[in-house]
Structures are given as structure tokens and as C-alpha cells.
């Protein structure tokens, strides 16, 4: 049967508050009482955890509130376990560093979030001796050719930032598995919409800062994977989350846990509006990248990967030809129409727009931008759900007219 993230989330054991409250309590403690001194060595050797008669030990290791958020996120992704971190980039960095050491190789998509690109291209090779090969992730022959016996990770985003290229997760999982590598998928763009682990991804990472948080008020991340991998990340001696320490505050975990019950509703509305905008833009012959449109190169692929009922996501990109026109367009919408903000990030309840080449993807060189298909006039729009759809479209049309595109 098809995976249903809403049903999966609803089946997670509910955590009542300390006094029977409908919401869980916030466990704001950094250390935990060991009730019997004799069991301390057992706890430290990892033989006695919170579920087996021990205790949570110390807040950087495990916090019950953060632990519950991890369980909820794991349910949404359909993985055995999950754990939340203080940012998306720390979740990505820790997952990768847990899997790779000096001399190991990563095959990564060349169209990924700029911060991840810089981490893989500059930081990790320099600091750890990990080698990274970037490929067009849609080109399976290129992916296979880049794989070697040292490849430990194949890395991609489910839907890429900002070009809206959809990754063929089943094929990539197959290639990775044959090579003895792990497929790591960043699912930040499509929570609920797609569940990469259901299609063979080994590890799913998230920036919770975007759609999952939904209010542009919290930086946070998560790793969803097997129980075994999550415990590796938290190992007292060799765990990258444990030892590098991107710990999520329990208050933040509590806040985020209250946003999961309506994540599905929000994603549906983001998608419904983005689909409407994309269809209108296509009709007006404005170059638009949106995987919900039937002429998008990976539309059929995505149709086969999505969970039913959540649409195709809240992001689309339009090419306005030049960066000057892109800037004028965004200025007009923000200043004259009070529609949207000229701001990086995405997944906010209001609309955010940015010119990717000169902002979130500015870590890429001009050649890399061209290879990744990021045009200078490309405006990425993360469509919010405030205001009425008809009114918002009318505003968007006026902005297009203002820059001479209508
Ligand atoms: C924002 C983002 C990240 C980084 O997440 P932070 O929470 O800012 O650390 C990683 N991947 C994608 C696709 C993103 O959009």
C-alpha cells in the first residue's frame, strides 16, 4: 500500500504532558539523575539507555523532548528513527562525516543548496580529506561513471534548489546499493510530498528551518534513518552529533512538534497555489520551472514518487532573462504590491523571493552556475498562502507587466 505520512504520524505513541496535558512537557534539563550509583558505568558504556532502565545522562546526548520530535519526524519519513539538530547544515555535515573518512569519496548532485555545495566542495575536502565528485544527478551514466570503490555516499536533494530538478531516488538507491554506498537525500523542499526512504534512500536529512518550521523563526535540522545509524551519530566515543555538538534546545523541539500536525495541510495549500501560478505562467509563455507542470522534464518521475494528495510543492522558478529585470520585478512586488519579501530561505507562510545566482547559489562560480542551469535572471519563488489566490495572482501579473514580460 502507498505510504501515507499523515497516517504514519498519527500512529506514533502520543506523549502526554507531565500533568496530563494534551501537549508534551518541555524537559528543560541538561543533566539527569542516576537513581542508583552502581548503574553509572552501564550508562556510560552505552549498555543502559533511557528505555532500558538507565537515564538520559546528559542533554547533548539525548533530551526526551528532542527525542520525541525525532520520533515524529521519523514517522513522517517512514524511517525507524530520527534525531533533530540545531540546523539543517549540521544535520547534513554530521550525517556525511559519520559515513566518510579521509580518502573516501562522495558523488553529489551539482544542483544543491549553496551551503551544502560549499561544505562538500571546499570545507570537507580541505579539513577531512574526503573527495567529492559533482555530477548532473539526472544523468545516471554520469553518476555510475563517478562511482568508485571508495564511494561511501551518493548525495542529492529530492527536488533541487533552485532549478526544480527531481532526483530519481529509486535508480540512485539502486546504484548506491550496488556500489556499497549510502544514498543520502535532503528532503527539505518536499516534506510530506515525498518520502525518499520509501523509495530506497538510506538517510533523509532536513532543514526544519523551511516548510517544517513554516514561520521563518527557527533554525533547525534533522536526520532520519535506521535506528543503528542514529545511534552511531549519538555514540559517546565516535558519534558526530554527540561530539561536534549541534544540539537542539528542548524548547525549540517543543515548538516544532506543535507544527507537525498541520504540516500536511500547509504543504497542500503551498502546492495548490504554486500549481495555479505555474499553470498561469506557462500559459503566458513565461519560462517557469515547476515539477507539477506536465511538460517539466521529470514530471512523470515525480508523479510516481509523490505521496498522494500533497501536490508538487510550493516552489517554482521563473526566468526573467536578466538580473536587472529580476531585481526590478522583486522590488515592484515587495514595494508596490506588498506581496512577498525579497529574502532568501523558503517555506514561509508568506511569499519569499530571491534571485538565486546572486544570493543562495553565490557559492557557485559562473561556470558552475551555468552547469547547474541557474540563469542570472532566475527568480525563485517560495509561494506563501496569505491573501486570496486570485488577488495574489493579479499582483504577480501586474509585476510581470511592470517589467515588460506581458
Ligand atoms: C536551507 C537549506 C539547508 C540548510 O539548512 P539550515 O537550517 O539553514 O542550516 C539545507 N538544504 C536545503 C535544501 C536548504 O534549503
Amino acid at each position: 500500500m502507498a505510504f501515507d505520512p499523515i497516517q504514519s504520524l498519527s500512529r506514533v505513541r502520543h506523549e502526554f504532558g507531565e500533568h496530563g496535558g494534551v501537549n508534551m512537557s518541555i524537559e528543560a534539563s541538561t543533566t539527569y539523575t542516576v537513581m542508583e550509583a552502581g548503574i553509572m558505568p552501564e550508562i556510560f558504556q552505552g549498555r543502559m539507555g533511557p528505555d532500558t532502565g538507565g537515564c538520559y545522562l546528559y542533554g547533548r546526548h539525548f533530551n526526551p523532548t528532542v527525542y520525541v520530535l525525532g520520533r515524529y519526524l521519523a514517522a513522517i519519513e517512514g524511517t525507524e528513527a530520527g534525531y533533530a539538530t540545531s540546523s539543517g547544515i549540521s544535520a547534513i555535515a554530521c550525517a556525511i562525516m559519520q559515513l566518510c573518512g579521509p580518502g573516501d569519496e562522495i558523488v553529489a548532485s551539482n544542483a544543491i543548496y549553496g551551503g551544502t555545495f560549499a561544505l562538500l566542495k571546499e570545507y570537507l575536502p580541505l579539513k577531512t580529506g574526503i573527495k567529492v565528485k559533482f555530477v548532473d544527478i539526472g544523468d545516471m551514466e554520469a553518476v555510475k561513471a563517478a562511482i568508485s570503490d571508495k564511494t561511501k555516499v551518493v548525495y542529492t536533494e529530492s527536488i533541487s534548489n533552485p532549478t526544480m530538478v527531481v532526483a530519481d531516488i529509486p535508480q540512485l538507491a539502486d546504484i548506491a546499493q550496488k556500489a556499497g554506498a549510502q544514498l543520502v537525500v535532503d528532503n527539505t523542499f518536499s516534506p510530506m510530498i515525498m518520502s525518499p526512504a520509501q523509495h530506497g534512500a538510506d538517510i533523509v536529512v532536513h532543514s526544519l528551518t523551511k516548510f517544517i518550521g513554516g514561520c521563518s523563526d527557527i533554525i533547525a535540522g534533522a536526520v532520519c534513518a535506521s535506528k543503528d545509524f542514529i545511534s552511531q551519530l549519538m555514540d559517546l566515543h565516535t558519534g558526530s552529533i554527540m561530539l561536534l555538538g549541534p544540539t537542539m534546545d528542548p524548547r525549540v523541539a517543543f515548538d516544532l512538534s506543535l507544527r507537525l500536525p498541520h504540516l500536511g495541510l500547509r504543504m497542500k495549500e503551498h502546492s495548490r497555489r504554486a500549481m495555479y501560478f505555474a499553470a498561469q505562467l506557462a500559459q503566458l509563455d513565461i519560462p517557469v520551472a515547476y515539477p507539477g507542470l506536465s511538460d517539466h522534464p521529470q514530471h512523470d518521475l515525480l508523479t510516481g514518487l509523490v505521496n498522494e494528495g500533497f501536490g508538487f510543492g510550493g516552489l517554482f522558478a521563473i526566468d526573467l532573462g536578466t538580473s536587472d529585470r529580476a531585481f526590478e520585478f522583486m522590488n515592484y512586488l515587495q514595494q508596490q504590491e506588498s506581496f512577498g519579501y525579497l529574502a532568501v530561505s523558503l517555506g514561509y507562510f508568506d511569499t519569499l523571493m530571491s534571485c538565486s545566482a546572486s544570493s543562495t547559489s553565490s557559492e557557485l562560480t559562473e561556470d558552475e552556475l551555468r552547469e547547474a542551469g541557474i540563469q542570472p535572471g532566475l527568480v525563485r519563488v517560495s509561494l506563501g498562502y496569505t491573501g486570496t489566490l486570485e488577488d495574489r495572482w493579479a499582483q504577480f501579473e501586474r509585476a510581470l507587466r511592470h517589467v515588460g514580460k506581458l
Side-chain angles (χ1 to χ4, degrees), residues 2-72:
F3 181 71
D4 180 345
I6 291 201
Q7 185 180 55
S8 177
L9 180 61
S10 75
R11 300 259 161 102
V12 181
R13 177 164 55 86
H14 183 74
E15 218 51 55
F16 288 102
E18 198 183 355
H19 305 286
V22 291
N23 293 317
M24 68 173 158
S25 302
I26 302 175
E27 183 62 272
S29 295
T30 57
T31 188
Y32 298 85
T33 312
V34 178
M35 299 313 262
E36 180 56 56
I39 64 171
M40 191 67 124
E42 297 287 308
I43 294 173
F44 259 89
Q45 279 149 32
R47 287 200 292 269
M48 254 187 172
D51 303 328
T52 49
C55 74
Y56 280 92
L57 186 63
Y58 183 60
R60 199 178 75 247
H61 188 219
F62 271 131
N63 171 286
T65 315
V66 182
Y67 199 66
V68 170
L69 176 65
R71 272 207 276 128
Y72 291 167

Side-chain angles (χ1 to χ4, degrees), residues 87-89 92 113 157 161 186 188-189 207 209-210 219-220 346:
S87 67
I89 198 76
I92 294 166
Y113 172 70
E157 291 174 4
N161 186 354
D186 180 338
T188 300
F189 270 37
S207 168
T209 313
K210 315 295 168 55
I219 301 274
L346 54 108

Side-chain angles (χ1 to χ4, degrees), residues 87-89 113-115 161-162 164 188-189 206-220 259 270 314-316 330 340-356 358-363 379-384:
S87 67
I89 198 76
Y113 172 70
N161 186 354
M164 306 296 137
T188 300
F189 270 37
H206 270 287
S207 168
L208 308 179
T209 313
K210 315 295 168 55
F211 288 105
I212 294 182
C215 305
S216 290
D217 59 337
I218 292 173
I219 301 274
R259 301 178 193 190
H270 279 296
L315 282 124
F316 61 85
M330 295 188 291
Y341 302 101
L342 214 173
V344 298
S345 199
L346 54 108
Y348 187 42
F349 53 74
D350 245 320
T351 296
L352 300 179
M353 50 202 171
S354 56
C355 186
S356 300
S358 47
S359 60
T360 47
S361 295
S362 60
E363 289 89 345
V379 175
R380 182 186 77 187
V381 179
S382 173
L383 198 62

Side-chain angles (χ1 to χ4, degrees), residues 147-199:
I147 296 236
S148 83
D149 56 358
K150 299 215 177 74
T151 308
K152 291 282 161 59
V153 167
V154 175
Y155 185 90
T156 188
E157 291 174 4
S158 48
I159 302 177
S160 80
N161 186 354
T163 48
M164 306 296 137
V165 176
V166 181
D168 191 334
I169 312 269
Q171 277 209 61
L172 291 170
D174 191 47
I175 294 172
Q177 198 193 10
K178 283 188 179 129
Q182 306 278 301
L183 177 62
V184 180
V185 178
D186 180 338
N187 198 29
T188 300
F189 270 37
S190 45
M192 293 276 175
I193 292 169
M194 204 202 290
S195 309
Q198 303 311 306
H199 303 286

